[in-house]
Amino acid sequence: MATIKVTKVKSAINRPKDQKLTLEALGLKKIGQTKEHQDTPNILGMINKVKHLVSVEETK
């Protein structure tokens, strides 16, 4: 499976609680923080929920 890099680019202040929890589940707490995840449907669904707060890069 491919891996993807997820970087938090915007703050979670004034966002719904479920979006804040999704960012935390992805391992993103600070702006500019980057995590690598496997390209699975679960992770892609989480990224889709907070796509306006993160940037995504594909790596191999």
Side-chain angles (χ1 to χ4, degrees), residues 1-4 12 16 19 21-22 26 31-33 37 39 41-42 44-47 49 51:
M1 287 201 136
T3 59
I4 50 177
Q19 291 180 8
L21 293 174
T22 301
L26 286 169
I31 294 176
Q33 187 176 13
H37 292 282
D39 191 8
N42 292 339
L44 293 177
M46 292 167 71
I47 291 171
K49 186 169 195 130
K51 63 186 171 195

Side-chain angles (χ1 to χ4, degrees), residues 36-57:
E36 287 193 17
H37 292 282
Q38 294 294 322
D39 191 8
T40 62
N42 292 339
I43 296 296
L44 293 177
M46 292 167 71
I47 291 171
N48 190 40
K49 186 169 195 130
V50 293
K51 63 186 171 195
H52 55 289
L53 302 176
V54 298
S55 69
V56 180
E57 298 176 26

Side-chain angles (χ1 to χ4, degrees), residues 5-13 15 19-20 22-24 26-35 50-56:
K5 278 186 173 181
V6 184
T7 304
K8 185 175 177 181
V9 294
K10 287 191 178 179
S11 174
I13 295 173
R15 302 292 177 190
Q19 291 180 8
K20 291 180 184 182
T22 301
L23 286 171
E24 194 172 318
L26 286 169
L28 302 172
K29 295 183 180 183
K30 296 181 179 181
I31 294 176
Q33 187 176 13
T34 302
K35 292 286 182 173
V50 293
K51 63 186 171 195
H52 55 289
L53 302 176
V54 298
S55 69
V56 180

